[in-house]
Amino acid sequence: MRILVLGGTWFLGKAVVEGALARGWKVTTFNRGRSGVDAEGVTAVHGDRTALRDLAGLAEVGPWDAVVDTSSSEMPPRAVLAATLSLRPQVARWVHVSTVSVYEGWPHLALTEDSPTLACPADADETVGYTGADGSPTAYGFQKAGAERAVTEVFGEQAVLLRPGVILGPGEYVGRLPWWLARAARGGRILAPAPAGRRIQPVDVRDVAAFALDQAAASTCGPFNVAHPEGIGFDDFLGACLNVTEGAGRPVWADPESLVEHGVKQWTELPLWRTHSGAWSVDSSHAVAAGLRCRPIAETVEDTWAWLRADGRPVAHPRWAEHGIAPDREAKILASLP
């Protein structure tokens, strides 16, 4: 199997490359060479995917049986369209990593792959889309919906769209799970979002990578929601963080109304917390039927802590600083709770 990974040096892209090499596949990576080191054993091509000259040069290295695109999250749809058009003569199949944010109803409604998606043309630039007053829909969601259309317009039945919600695991650059681990290790009274048993559905980066590779070699097409089918209660998630860090912390469960009253920013100040009923109501049964296998989330927590303890250093990314509540602000809120 000959595979091209767009990206390939950090987090999901790195996991895809490592998984493909472990399967004995021939792997080409394409990136700018700025965010990480190319894995030993790959054919590394460096270039800018927004530059047509670089895409043309990349195409000369082919052909490939499939592309796994892990590097388009900050790209406007027209850039994704240009890449698919440039590489189509040399590629049989395209696996595109998208997001649940493409759905009109996220995070308010329960979702299946039949749920309607946001309207954005395949050739849109970065100005198309908007973010709603309550944080949904998002400009990001519109852009990713347009990118999906770009892929499907060019690859048709050989297009696979993966729609994960939250991806965690070793190498995470966003900082959600690392923040909770650091907070658990610090101990003390920990501000936690009630209800304690509410289930969340993050998925391990290695499981997303394995499913992407399975789909690269399969004959199925279309969209797949990639979310943990069983999930984990927030209390069990925080308990796993306390367990692996050996933290002496005690969760203090604050109801959503209190958190909102104190202006706690959902999704960031308390990572993974959101009041919208559909945030963690993503049906992944279609992906499970196609082979998605998700390890227990507690294992993801344990492995991420081991990575951090071994001096794990994620790629520098501005989103890391967005996550987590300041200690003095947390203490003030905790003091106001009964």
Side-chain angles (χ1 to χ4, degrees):
M1 183 83 176
R2 298 161 302 176
I3 188 171
L4 168 63
V5 180
L6 300 182
T9 60
W10 52 299
F11 201 40
L12 179 57
K14 182 180 179 182
V16 169
V17 168
E18 291 174 346
L21 291 172
R23 297 183 187 206
W25 294 3
K26 295 181 179 180
V27 182
T28 303
T29 57
F30 180 67
N31 54 67
R32 294 177 298 175
R34 300 177 184 174
S35 299
V37 178
D38 293 295
E40 184 177 349
V42 305
T43 298
V45 181
H46 290 162
D48 186 340
R49 62 176 292 170
T50 64
L52 293 179
R53 177 190 296 179
D54 290 355
L55 288 171
L58 173 63
E60 294 177 359
V61 181
W64 300 278
D65 299 302
V67 165
V68 178
D69 185 0
T70 68
S71 68
S72 66
S73 62
E74 307 299 329
M75 305 284 175
R78 65 179 182 183
V80 177
L81 180 62
T84 57
L85 290 171
S86 296
L87 297 175
R88 185 64 180 97
Q90 296 284 62
V91 174
R93 187 168 175 79
W94 193 287
V95 179
H96 183 74
V97 180
S98 185
T99 169
V100 293
S101 296
V102 300
Y103 289 112
E104 288 182 2
W106 193 85
H108 302 281
L109 305 175
L111 299 173
T112 71
E113 287 84 357
D114 294 327
S115 301
T117 58
L118 297 166
C120 182
D123 60 351
D125 64 17
E126 61 278 359
T127 66
V128 176
Y130 63 92
T131 297
D134 70 342
S136 63
T138 62
Y140 173 73
F142 280 101
Q143 291 279 300
K144 293 295 282 184
E148 286 192 357
R149 286 179 174 80
V151 175
T152 54
E153 284 185 8
V154 176
F155 277 83
E157 293 186 355
Q158 292 303 316
V160 179
L161 309 173
L162 306 186
R163 294 171 178 165
V166 170
I167 304 175
L168 304 178
E172 183 194 337
Y173 65 90
V174 175
R176 295 184 177 105
L177 178 50
W179 185 84
W180 278 113
L181 286 165
R183 181 63 191 89
R186 183 156 55 90
R189 299 174 75 222
I190 301 173
L191 184 64
R198 185 180 184 187
R199 302 194 76 75
I200 58 177
Q201 296 177 279
V203 64
D204 191 288
V205 62
R206 295 161 292 185
D207 297 331
V208 180
F211 186 64
L213 293 172
D214 289 345
Q215 289 306 306
S219 59
T220 49
C221 65
F224 292 94
N225 291 337
V226 184
H228 203 290
E230 290 88 27
I232 188 173
F234 216 109
D235 51 353
D236 290 332
F237 168 77
L238 188 48
C241 292
L242 287 164
N243 181 57
V244 300
T245 61
E246 300 180 350
R250 180 175 67 84
V252 177
W253 298 97
D255 61 73
E257 292 77 16
S258 294
L259 294 174
V260 170
E261 182 180 346
H262 283 92
V264 177
K265 295 178 182 177
Q266 300 184 42
W267 216 235
T268 54
E269 279 196 297
L270 289 182
L272 307 179
W273 168 63
R274 200 160 191 171
T275 58
H276 303 83
S277 60
W280 299 112
S281 298
V282 181
D283 182 358
S284 60
S285 59
H286 181 46
V288 170
L292 174 66
R293 298 292 179 265
C294 293
R295 71 198 67 204
I297 295 172
E299 182 179 327
T300 303
V301 171
E302 181 178 354
D303 291 349
T304 303
W305 180 242
W307 165 70
L308 289 168
R309 292 271 289 176
D311 200 26
R313 294 181 181 273
V315 170
H317 197 280
R319 292 183 68 186
W320 186 280
E322 296 176 359
H323 291 88
I325 190 167
D328 57 343
R329 177 161 155 73
E330 179 189 24
K332 183 177 180 180
I333 296 173
L334 285 167
S336 72
L337 297 176

